Amino acid sequence: MSTLAPGARRKSKAGWNLLGLLVFVTAGFPVYWMLNTAFKPAKDAIDPDPSLLPTGLTLGNFSRALDIADFWGPVGRSLIVSLSVVAIGVLVGTLAALAISRFAFRGRKIVIVGILAVQMVPLVAMIIPVFLLLNDLDQYDKLSGLIVTYLTFILPFTVWTLRGFIVNIPKELEEAAMVDGCSPTGAFLRVVFPLLAPGMVATSVYAFVQAWNEYLYALMLLSQKNQTATVWLGNFTTKHGTEYAPMMAGSTMMAVPIVVLFLLVQRKMAAGLTAGAVKG
């Protein structure tokens, strides 16, 4: 029971609400400014004294964004790469995390340390070795080569994250299912998999966002004809300057798949569904 007086509790609650509002405004303002710039006339986007509130609305920036270069091609390629990375990463990551969590084998700790060590390597430090390797394997300027490249830094995170979810699922649940006649595979599919679903969804969202927003490797490993959506945004910066309003319109269109994804899986993002699975 709280020992704070009612007045002190109200002040504490108000303080936390104010802090939450501050965090929301700080995180949401860039998104608001992107939308504000996307719908305002192009001349207002470069005004040295911009208005916080929109002074006029137009859809011309979206037409310009679609006309300046092919839009659907890069978006389609980004979707292919991102969905492939999610499918392969979650499948392989789940199997690897299950092996690390449930089975004792020689070198297990070395594998875990190796997964952590890989995530510490800066991505920019691997660009030249990756380029040379893909060139030798005839995978340069191919989506398959980009997918494999993304998996090299997304898969370790996937394995580590899913391992944390699997460890928190009591092993006694699987053992009880096997006592009731399930095979190890059946116990996993019927008991562990449903409890692991929130973790797989959260990991999938992370993998999708990482692959969708990645710019450096997509720029270096793909030619202009095979560019992805993030590289496509570079078309708005030319020798004559940057077209900020159409660029923000393009960024808004690029954000739509991410927003839709979050709306579809928001209820599965919670990780605490295993609480109370075992009762004493």
Side-chain angles (χ1 to χ4, degrees), residues 77-268:
R77 286 187 284 272
S78 288
L79 282 174
I80 292 173
V81 171
S82 301
L83 293 177
S84 299
V85 168
V86 169
I88 299 173
V90 172
L91 176 61
V92 177
T94 301
L95 296 177
L98 182 65
I100 295 174
S101 304
R102 289 293 194 252
F103 301 103
F105 55 88
R106 182 174 300 177
R108 178 168 171 264
K109 292 185 178 180
I110 296 177
V111 172
I112 296 175
V113 173
I115 292 174
L116 291 175
V118 168
Q119 297 183 70
M120 298 178 186
V121 180
L123 296 181
V124 67
M126 299 189 296
I127 187 67
I128 294 179
V130 168
F131 172 82
L132 295 175
L133 180 60
L134 292 182
N135 191 50
D136 292 340
L137 297 176
D138 194 27
Q139 289 297 311
Y140 174 74
D141 197 22
K142 294 183 179 179
L143 295 184
S144 57
L146 188 64
I147 291 171
V148 173
T149 302
Y150 286 175
L151 286 172
T152 59
F153 59 84
I154 290 178
L155 194 55
F157 176 86
T158 302
V159 174
W160 183 255
T161 303
L162 290 176
R163 174 187 174 273
F165 281 98
I166 294 175
V167 166
N168 288 327
I169 298 176
K171 193 174 182 180
E172 289 77 10
L173 293 176
E174 294 178 74
E175 295 173 349
M178 287 188 284
V179 169
D180 291 337
C182 285
S183 63
T185 302
F188 172 78
L189 294 176
R190 296 184 180 184
V191 177
V192 178
F193 183 78
L195 297 176
L196 185 60
M200 296 178 67
V201 170
T203 306
S204 298
V205 171
Y206 169 84
F208 185 89
V209 171
Q210 287 292 104
W212 180 264
N213 291 333
E214 204 284 323
Y215 174 79
L216 178 62
Y217 281 91
L219 176 66
M220 299 298 296
L221 301 179
L222 296 176
S223 64
Q224 185 75 13
K225 66 177 182 178
N226 289 327
Q227 65 183 357
T228 57
T230 51
V231 181
W232 169 81
L233 284 175
N235 292 316
F236 296 98
T237 301
T238 65
K239 61 181 180 180
H240 303 293
T242 301
E243 299 185 60
Y244 291 103
M247 177 181 285
M248 292 300 100
S251 301
T252 300
M253 290 187 289
M254 279 186 56
V256 170
I258 301 296
V259 173
V260 172
L261 178 63
F262 271 101
L263 291 177
L264 291 175
V265 302
Q266 59 178 333
R267 293 188 178 182
K268 291 289 185 180

Side-chain angles (χ1 to χ4, degrees), residues 17-36:
N17 290 338
L18 181 61
L19 178 60
L21 180 61
L22 180 62
V23 172
F24 172 77
V25 171
T26 303
F29 183 78
V31 178
Y32 164 77
W33 196 251
M34 178 185 72
L35 295 173
N36 184 23

